[in-house]
Amino acid sequence: MKLSESTVNVLKNFSGINQSLQFKAGNTLKTISPLRTIFVEATVNENFPKEFAIYDLNKLLAKVSLYKEAELGFDDDKVTINTENKKKSDYIKYCSPKVIVVPPDKNITLTDPDCSFSLSQEDLDWMRKSAGISGSPNFVFESDGETIHFIATDVKDDAADQSKIEIGTGTGNKFRVVMKVENFKLMDGSYDVSISKKGLACFKHKSLAITYYIAIEAASSTFGEE
């Protein structure tokens, strides 16, 4: 099996969320952060033939990058990496899923969201850079019912910097959703966003088959209040 560039990019993104990964048979990849604040599900081009776990995903990706056209094989106890002519080869042993943090088997769904909107790549990129300059720990999505704003700040510090950008027109619903910047491990792109006051936000990529579920700071968020 050869990994497509798009799948390699997904795996690189996953490695920034959890250094380990349990692969399941099929073309669906899932990961969850060690603190269980980020859950991601992606559909990729390849069909993996079996279930196995890799302790250090970055190591696997680094090994694959050494080969111009890496061929992956899946033995009972290891993943092999070869060239077509077999002149070069590597292998990495599987690990037990019991020693890593793995996502739940049950799919996560977000039905009847309390607010929803779109987030463009341009606005996301700008806010990430601005938050990085200020060292802001929080992202806030806020609407007065008429306009939706995306804000970077520290909600616990009245003297903190604030960056603010208008991202959409409101639907009459008022909300203020607080999230941690450190949980925004999103791949580049634009997203459809749905948020539940039960404590979860869903970011669905508009052009890639990848969806992120990220915890919100429920104690600091408000929905519908004046």
Side-chain angles (χ1 to χ4, degrees):
M1 173 191 291
K2 293 180 180 179
L3 296 180
S4 64
E5 182 179 357
S6 61
T7 298
V8 169
N9 288 336
V10 168
L11 292 174
K12 287 179 179 178
N13 177 251
F14 276 25
S15 70
I17 296 169
N18 187 335
Q19 72 165 8
S20 307
L21 182 63
Q22 181 184 36
F23 291 78
K24 296 280 192 175
N27 67 340
T28 298
L29 298 176
K30 299 179 183 180
T31 193
I32 192 168
S33 63
L35 295 179
R36 301 185 183 276
T37 53
I38 312 167
F39 172 83
V40 193
E41 181 175 2
T43 302
V44 296
N45 299 323
E46 297 80 4
N47 270 287
F48 291 90
K50 62 186 298 178
E51 181 177 325
F52 62 96
I54 295 294
Y55 186 80
D56 190 338
L57 184 56
N58 275 317
K59 183 194 293 183
L60 174 63
L61 292 170
K63 288 288 189 179
V64 169
S65 71
L66 292 176
Y67 294 77
K68 186 175 182 180
E69 293 288 339
E71 289 277 357
L72 273 62
F74 304 95
D75 295 340
D76 290 338
D77 62 342
K78 61 184 178 294
V79 56
T80 61
I81 310 165
N82 296 281
T83 54
E84 288 186 1
N85 59 18
K86 307 297 183 182
K87 287 186 177 181
K88 299 176 184 176
S89 66
D90 277 283
Y91 70 74
I92 296 175
K93 288 292 189 74
Y94 304 143
C95 73
S96 168
K98 294 180 181 179
V99 302
I100 64 176
V101 179
V102 300
D105 290 329
K106 185 178 180 181
N107 289 333
I108 295 178
T109 58
L110 196 157
T111 57
D112 300 322
D114 293 283
C115 59
S116 57
F117 49 88
S118 292
L119 179 62
S120 71
Q121 178 173 348
E122 181 181 2
D123 290 344
L124 178 59
D125 288 347
W126 185 87
M127 191 58 76
R128 276 173 161 165
K129 292 174 182 176
S130 188
I133 292 170
S134 295
S136 301
N138 297 115
F139 282 143
V140 181
F141 295 102
E142 187 173 70
S143 176
D144 59 3
E146 297 181 1
T147 306
I148 302 173
H149 288 99
F150 186 17
I151 301 165
T153 189
D154 184 344
V155 298
K156 295 181 179 179
D157 183 0
D158 291 338
D161 295 350
Q162 176 178 284
S163 304
K164 186 175 183 179
I165 185 170
E166 183 178 329
I167 61 171
T169 302
T171 61
N173 295 326
K174 297 180 180 180
F175 58 84
R176 184 174 188 264
V177 178
V178 179
M179 304 180 71
K180 290 183 177 179
V181 171
E182 66 187 35
N183 289 335
F184 266 63
K185 306 289 188 179
L186 308 176
M187 292 185 70
D188 289 342
S190 299
Y191 289 85
D192 289 320
V193 185
S194 302
I195 302 175
S196 169
K197 62 184 177 183
K198 294 180 180 180
L200 196 64
C202 173
F203 291 77
K204 185 176 182 180
H205 203 287
K206 285 181 176 286
S207 57
L208 301 176
I210 188 167
T211 302
Y212 299 78
Y213 295 90
I214 304 174
I216 71 171
E217 301 299 289
S220 304
S221 301
T222 57
F223 294 85
E225 289 85 348
E226 294 294 335

